[in-house]
Amino acid sequence: MRIGELLGSGRSADVYALDDKWVLRHYRDGMDATHEWMVMSYLGAHGFPVPRLGPRDSETPACDLVLERLSGPTMLESLLAGEVSVAEAAAMLAGLLAELHTVPARLSPDPGDRILHLDLHPDNVMLTDRGPVVIDWSNTREGVPAADRAMTSLILAQAAVDPEFSASAHARTLLNELLPHFSASGGIPAHHLAEAAAARAANPTMSPQEVALIGRAASLIGELTA
């Protein structure tokens, strides 16, 4: 496998070109991506829009994933460029979560549990010629859909209250548009919002400044849903 140019870096992983069809996602801390690969494979088999998966065998390093090389902007890029309206983005995010939550849990015997993304925001949705594709499944687990709605809302609310984030106004407007969709799907119970806040605070990739915004972000959601 010949690794090409670095295409992008996130909080925990780097993405490298392999060729014009495939990329390599490499976790810098050596995190085992096997669970992520299995969840994505399962979701793809159920028709949910995830990147196509490349081969994974005993010679594949545990921290690596070979993924389809997607072409197109992220939802965030399209929002900032004015190519997608806030209302369209909100409907798309809500629709993706609703579609995801129709997929039965892969492992849990609880009939109420579903596959959760737990990091769905505009920078993790690629707008491709085959429609929106959800990327970065490193936080995925199984549980109740309200936990996913709470986490997405909290991520947007953190961005909305962050004075150093250049698109904070966009985040606030998107949150305002998104929350009515979530209310129609069952809302965000307070205990799920508290769990999301605790999970964000415990995330080792979060800076102290970001952690300090979590309380204000949770309060904003409370105000908007009161």
Side-chain angles (χ1 to χ4, degrees):
M1 181 188 300
R2 183 179 179 279
I3 298 176
E5 66 175 312
L6 177 66
L7 298 176
S9 294
R11 290 176 181 266
S12 59
D14 300 313
V15 178
Y16 297 90
L18 295 178
D19 54 34
D20 61 349
K21 294 183 178 179
W22 301 100
V23 298
L24 177 74
R25 181 179 173 88
H26 170 75
Y27 284 102
R28 293 187 295 271
D29 63 358
M31 184 180 80
D32 191 341
T34 303
H35 173 67
E36 186 176 353
W37 188 93
M38 294 178 70
V39 170
M40 292 176 68
S41 178
Y42 177 79
L43 288 171
H46 279 77
F48 188 79
V50 295
R52 297 182 182 94
L53 294 165
R56 186 174 180 83
D57 53 33
S58 59
E59 296 183 2
T60 304
C63 57
D64 289 350
L65 287 171
V66 175
L67 303 169
E68 171 190 10
R69 185 168 183 170
L70 299 170
S71 178
T74 66
M75 181 190 289
L76 177 59
E77 291 169 336
S78 291
L79 269 170
L80 296 179
E83 297 165 350
V84 172
S85 72
V86 171
E88 289 170 331
M92 194 182 303
L93 282 175
L96 286 167
L97 278 180
E99 181 182 354
L100 175 62
H101 298 153
T102 66
V103 181
R106 187 174 66 92
L107 300 173
S108 173
D110 189 325
D113 282 350
R114 294 292 186 266
I115 304 290
L116 307 180
H117 186 277
L118 295 176
D119 196 22
L120 189 63
H121 54 76
D123 218 20
N124 277 339
V125 179
M126 297 284 292
L127 303 182
T128 74
D129 56 5
R130 64 182 172 98
V133 177
V134 180
I135 63 173
D136 192 354
W137 291 84
S138 57
N139 290 340
T140 185
R141 65 174 176 82
E142 297 178 358
V144 296
D148 237 354
R149 296 193 295 269
M151 185 62 79
T152 288
S153 301
L154 185 64
I155 291 169
L156 289 175
Q158 269 186 279
V161 300
D162 186 349
E164 297 184 4
F165 182 51
S166 59
S168 60
H170 286 78
R172 172 66 182 259
T173 306
L174 180 57
L175 182 65
N176 286 340
E177 289 279 349
L178 185 61
L179 287 175
H181 288 282
F182 284 173
S183 294
S185 299
I188 305 171
H191 66 284
H192 287 300
L193 182 57
E195 288 171 359
R200 291 287 282 175
N203 187 332
T205 70
M206 300 279 289
S207 69
Q209 292 77 14
E210 289 173 312
V211 172
L213 295 171
I214 292 173
R216 287 175 58 197
S219 295
L220 175 61
I221 295 170
E223 293 168 10
L224 294 176
T225 55

